[in-house]
Amino acid sequence: MSAMPGEKAVIDRERLNDLISILNRQGYTVIGPTMGEGAILYDVVTGIGDLPAGWGDEEEGGRYRPVRRSDQALFGYSKPAQGLKGHLHPARQRLFAAERAGNGFRVLKDEGKAPRYAFLGARACELAAMRVQDKVFDNGAYRDPHYFAKRDDAFIALVTCAQAGGTCFCASMNSGPDATEGFDLKLAELGSTFLIEAGSERGAAILAQLSPRPATDADRQAGVAQIAKARQQSRSMVEGVGPMMAARLEHPHWDEVAKRCMTCGNCTMVCPTCFCTTVEDVTDLAGNNAERWRKWDSCFSVDYSYIHGGAVRSQGAARYRQWITHKLSHWVSQFGVSGCVGCGRCITWCPVGIDITAEAKALGG
Amino acid sequence: MARTRPRLGVFKFSSCDGCQLSLLDCELELLAVTEAVEIAYFLEATRKDMKGPFDITLVEGSVTTPHEAELIHKVRKSTGTLITIGACATSGGIQALKNFKDVKDFIDKVYAHPEYIETLATATPIADHVTVDFELRGCPINKHQLLEVINATLNGRKPVVPKHSECIECKSRGTVCVMVAKGEACLGPVTQAGCGGLCPASHRGCFGCFGPMETPNTAALSERLKALGSAPRDIHRLFQTFNANAPAFRQQAESLEDRV
Ligand code: SF4
Ligand code: SF4
Ligand code: SF4
């Protein structure tokens, strides 16, 4: 069968091994879910054996537990602990190195080659987050070379969710659990088979090598039912949250959240769209060699809002407000999209379980 | 252009020596340090006992005896930049646990001849006694941060030593949160970064070796630990270790006192 973009086919689950080897042969490092230390994490995968067969997850505000499933599903969890941000926009990135030359300095040529990534099992919300970051790192006038060196060529084999996690609310953010574009392949796990379709030519070329057979009506219906199930989510974002937030910049609730918020920054670190960085220069003791590094930063740190004379946002209330209003409101004016895709990671991984949907509701009330 | 080598002094007050050792631990970088500065006083490394003045002085340890309370003023007078290193020097250290008890009582119980013991009722950080130019946290300090502080001081720039939470280091290195994923009691959210996330990476909660972070909400953390099942006395103990005398940790422990 020749696979046309958009046309649904079925492959056996063992074919994922072929998919991974084909991608490897094409020079991709395949990143997929693995059962890590205490949580499902993205890491290099070389075959089905590396995937978290039979593992699911339980998530609530401030709580995560991997749990055994009653079946051997490979993608039976909601989402890995940290998303794919760390691969495209790493926590530490060297921008350049330089050495002293006379009275000035010389920038050294960067010999490093960006890895070529294929993301197997990316969720709809994660793809949505990448597309948000695409806008951040390319504003038309400036295109961040470090991000796009990895992003431009990244191969995306999306796997839609069979069920939402306890903190997911993508349905109300229109960013999941299904995706209609932006992937090379889209899969849905149906027992021992996968419903699969190509979203690009290179995806179609690979799909043709996976012994696909045409999907039956029953396969298609199972796929539709699965998405409908994943759409049932216990959390949702309040309607019209952007304008609402913008009108609540002064509100007693900010002090109330600040009593609970530890300004620890976990929410920004795990958020797949948060992009803020700080730049650090390091020198050797003699001052002959220097490097400039870009590191993840958080609007919850005091230095983040430091301008000469002091930090603008010295209070926790101001920092929480900055974070949530940027995500849900100002991001839209800045980048034309919401800064939140509803993945729920900030809720799960907040050590005290502060819930962006609940805080938005409390502010809207 | 050749610089005249600044003179470095390393002084020890009440402490375990672990932080000074971090300087010796610098190994290869230590050679570069000795090229960049003249180590003029460092008893742990050399018996050369040279007199001040010093351009840069590293001070380890807390002020715990009357002698130390005098000596620190002499050190301050003889030095340009004074940098304190470690939990003892920056908050009082583990020995500051005596600040919460009757010291005379201890001495009577422990020593056969209490009259020979000359000690203050408290162990206090250096900054309680003299002006300090930079405080480097940690129990022990991180050698990379130490090099950064020396480096920045020599090159006349501000050291890159973040004061945000330990959580940011955990997430940056990809460590799974032990509190969220295992329910472990962890001081990470209220503790300053610097260790690189050692304990959580070894699947244990943070002990708070680097002291309170810039804006520690210890009350919120205590509430959460209680909800996770920690008894007030365990939470009290968690805040009363190497940085027990740091104001944020001390106050949080005190607020739990009646329930211990
Ligand atoms: S703000 Fe929270 S729910 Fe929204 S994308 Fe970021 S981590 Fe996910
Ligand atoms: S937020 Fe939506 S797309 Fe993301 S893991 Fe949850 S259900 Fe799946
Ligand atoms: S909302 Fe939660 S994760 Fe975010 S800074 Fe506050 S306490 Fe930390």
Side-chain angles (χ1 to χ4, degrees), chain A residues 37 61-62 64-65 82 91 258-264 266 269-270 280 283-285 301-302 319 348-349 351, chain B residues 3 32-33 151 155 157 160 165 167-168 171-172 176 179-183 189 203 213-215 217 220-221 224:
Chain A
E37 197 62 61
Y64 174 98
R65 292 291 183 279
Q82 293 199 45
K259 287 198 189 104
R260 288 174 281 134
C261 174
M262 301 186 289
T263 63
C264 62
N266 277 298
M269 297 288 116
V270 296
E280 281 177 7
T283 52
D284 61 2
L285 283 163
S301 76
V302 173
R319 280 178 262 156
T348 308
W349 297 100
Chain B
R3 276 193 290 234
V33 172
N151 189 332
N155 286 302
R157 60 177 174 82
V160 181
S165 75
C167 302
I168 292 189
K171 288 292 182 292
S172 295
V176 174
M179 190 142 99
V180 170
K182 297 207 296 184
H203 322 300
M213 53 86 94
E214 52 195 6
T215 51
N217 189 343
L221 180 65
R224 184 63 178 177

Side-chain angles (χ1 to χ4, degrees), chain B:
Chain B
M1 189 185 74
R3 276 193 290 234
T4 52
R5 284 192 310 162
R7 291 162 57 84
L8 176 79
V10 184
F11 286 85
K12 174 186 150 59
F13 287 70
S14 290
S15 58
C16 78
D17 283 26
C19 289
Q20 298 185 52
L21 261 181
S22 303
L23 186 55
L24 294 180
D25 263 354
C26 289
E27 295 167 0
L28 273 186
E29 295 102 322
L30 186 59
L31 290 177
V33 172
T34 55
E35 274 165 28
V37 297
E38 178 195 348
I39 299 187
Y41 183 85
F42 186 9
L43 285 187
E44 186 145 311
T46 155
R47 269 197 274 156
K48 249 190 328 192
D49 184 0
M50 295 202 290
K51 295 271 172 297
F54 307 101
D55 296 293
I56 305 173
T57 296
L58 303 177
V59 176
E60 175 195 271
S62 64
V63 173
T64 309
T65 64
H67 166 68
E68 287 173 340
E70 270 176 44
L71 181 63
I72 189 59
H73 289 280
K74 290 193 186 133
V75 172
R76 175 69 271 189
K77 280 205 191 83
S78 67
T79 196
T81 302
L82 191 155
I83 299 163
T84 51
I85 57 170
C88 299
T90 58
S91 81
I94 191 80
Q95 59 273 28
L97 284 175
K98 75 176 188 174
N99 300 5
F100 313 109
K101 300 279 185 220
D102 180 4
V103 172
K104 190 171 171 308
D105 197 35
F106 284 145
I107 295 173
D108 289 347
K109 285 206 176 82
V110 173
Y111 297 98
H113 288 283
E115 64 275 18
Y116 294 148
I117 304 299
E118 212 186 3
T119 185
L120 297 170
T122 54
T124 44
I126 301 299
D128 280 9
H129 301 265
V130 296
T131 304
V132 170
D133 297 295
F134 191 86
E135 294 191 303
L136 185 64
R137 304 272 198 87
C139 184
I141 53 168
N142 171 325
K143 71 170 190 179
H144 301 290
Q145 285 197 332
L146 176 63
L147 282 170
E148 166 59 16
V149 172
I150 295 174
N151 189 332
T153 308
L154 291 176
N155 286 302
R157 60 177 174 82
K158 191 178 160 220
V160 181
V161 176
K163 296 186 179 330
H164 55 57
S165 75
E166 182 49 31
C167 302
I168 292 189
E169 284 196 312
C170 274
K171 288 292 182 292
S172 295
R173 69 183 274 177
T175 304
V176 174
C177 177
V178 296
M179 190 142 99
V180 170
K182 297 207 296 184
E184 294 276 331
C186 177
L187 283 182
V190 297
T191 297
Q192 180 171 306
C195 66
L198 278 183
C199 287
S202 313
H203 322 300
R204 320 197 296 198
C206 164
F207 291 107
C209 304
F210 279 64
M213 53 86 94
E214 52 195 6
T215 51
N217 189 343
T218 51
L221 180 65
S222 291
E223 281 309 306
R224 184 63 178 177
L225 295 178
K226 249 180 267 171
L228 289 174
S230 293
R233 71 184 299 266
D234 297 331
I235 304 172
H236 183 266
R237 185 163 290 171
L238 202 54
F239 282 109
Q240 286 217 323
T241 59
F242 321 104
N243 287 288
N245 191 51
F249 287 2
R250 188 181 63 217
Q251 283 152 20
Q252 190 55 36
E254 278 164 4
S255 80
L256 294 158
E257 214 97 274
D258 50 332
R259 282 169 290 169
V260 174

Side-chain angles (χ1 to χ4, degrees), chain A residues 129 167 169 173 267 270-274 323 327-328 339-347 356:
Chain A
T167 58
F169 58 100
M173 300 306 292
C267 46
V270 296
C271 178
T273 69
C274 274
W323 178 71
K327 290 272 115 176
L328 297 173
C340 173
V341 297
C343 74
R345 282 192 181 86
C346 56
I347 307 173
I356 187 172

